Amino acid sequence: VAASQKPMPEGGQPGQPGQLGLPLPASEAATQGVANAIEAQRSTQQIADLVSDVRHLQLDLEYHQQKLDQLLQEKQGNMQELKTAKSELVDAKKRLEEQDRLLKHRQVDLDHLQEELRTTSLLSSAPQAAAAEGAATLDALRSEAAAKDSALVVSHYELHKEKLMRDRLEQKNIKLMERMQKLMMVVETMRRD
């Protein structure tokens, strides 16, 4: 008779607590309460982890934005340096061309003086008065030739200095261009990320 008094649950299993309104035993209710508390704690922990991840991502974003701004400023500075170097290079080229032109003029003058010296030496067989005058002219020509020779040496030295400066500026220009290209690659990489 006791077996016939137990109600049958929906699943067809007789006597399972918690189904069909039967009360759960105290130990099962406590176990389910603990499981619910654990599930709530997991949800809270997941939310806290997600909030922490969002904060980390915000910090990374701020860092990369600052880095991008810094690289853009650096790029602008490099562009300005490049522009300055280019203008200095153009100026150096102009000065070099001017020095070349002056050097050619001095060479023509020197060739002319040497020709005059040869002509004067041929005329030295003239009378004594002409010889004295020729000696004075020869001395004047020699001093002029010496002055022009020294000016030619100075011009060669200045030309050499200009060439060295031009080479340095060209090297600096190349380095700045390479650096600018590297910065552009970094900026493009950061934009893609």
Side-chain angles (χ1 to χ4, degrees), residues 8 43 46 48 55 61-62 82:
M8 288 291 276
S43 297
Q46 285 177 345
R55 287 183 181 148
L61 179 64
E62 288 174 6
L82 180 64

Side-chain angles (χ1 to χ4, degrees), residues 166-181:
R166 178 181 177 184
D167 290 342
R168 275 188 244 125
L169 287 174
E170 285 176 352
Q171 290 297 322
K172 185 177 180 181
N173 190 14
I174 289 170
K175 286 180 184 178
L176 287 173
M177 288 295 286
E178 289 173 355
R179 188 172 179 195
M180 184 180 70
Q181 288 174 349

Side-chain angles (χ1 to χ4, degrees), residues 14 30-32 37 59 63 104 138 146 157 178 183 192:
T31 303
Q32 189 163 357
L59 287 173
Y63 168 78
K104 287 177 183 176
L138 184 61
Y157 175 72
E178 289 173 355
L183 284 173
R192 279 187 233 135

Side-chain angles (χ1 to χ4, degrees), residues 127-174:
Q128 288 293 353
E133 186 179 319
T137 305
L138 184 61
D139 288 338
L141 289 175
R142 283 185 182 158
S143 64
E144 187 178 342
K148 288 189 178 185
D149 278 343
S150 64
L152 186 62
V153 168
V154 169
S155 294
H156 276 293
Y157 175 72
E158 288 175 2
L159 179 64
H160 181 69
K161 280 187 359 184
E162 290 291 331
K163 285 181 180 178
L164 289 177
M165 188 169 86
R166 178 181 177 184
D167 290 342
R168 275 188 244 125
L169 287 174
E170 285 176 352
Q171 290 297 322
K172 185 177 180 181
N173 190 14
I174 289 170

Side-chain angles (χ1 to χ4, degrees), residues 5-126:
Q5 289 179 354
K6 289 183 183 176
M8 288 291 276
E10 287 180 14
Q13 298 291 329
Q16 287 185 357
Q19 295 179 349
L20 294 176
L22 292 177
L24 292 173
S27 65
E28 285 186 30
T31 303
Q32 189 163 357
V34 169
N36 288 342
I38 290 172
E39 185 63 32
Q41 186 177 3
R42 278 188 197 149
S43 297
T44 304
Q45 184 62 37
Q46 285 177 345
I47 290 171
D49 289 345
L50 289 173
V51 168
S52 176
D53 288 345
V54 166
R55 287 183 181 148
H56 282 288
L57 289 172
Q58 285 175 336
L59 287 173
D60 287 344
L61 179 64
E62 288 174 6
Y63 168 78
H64 287 294
Q65 186 64 42
Q66 288 174 351
K67 195 69 171 171
L68 179 63
D69 292 343
Q70 179 186 5
L71 288 173
L72 287 174
Q73 288 177 349
E74 200 171 308
K75 178 189 168 195
Q76 288 174 350
N78 287 341
M79 292 296 288
Q80 185 63 34
E81 286 179 21
L82 180 64
K83 185 178 177 183
T84 303
K86 281 184 178 181
S87 67
E88 288 175 359
L89 184 61
V90 167
D91 291 342
K93 282 182 181 179
K94 286 179 182 177
R95 286 193 305 269
L96 187 61
E97 289 171 358
E98 181 65 23
Q99 289 294 328
D100 283 340
R101 186 183 67 77
L102 289 174
L103 189 59
K104 287 177 183 176
H105 280 288
R106 288 182 180 153
Q107 186 65 42
V108 167
D109 289 341
L110 183 61
D111 291 343
H112 178 69
L113 284 175
Q114 288 175 345
E115 183 62 34
E116 282 184 16
L117 284 174
R118 277 190 226 119
T119 306
T120 306
S121 65
L122 291 176
L123 295 176
S124 65
S125 60

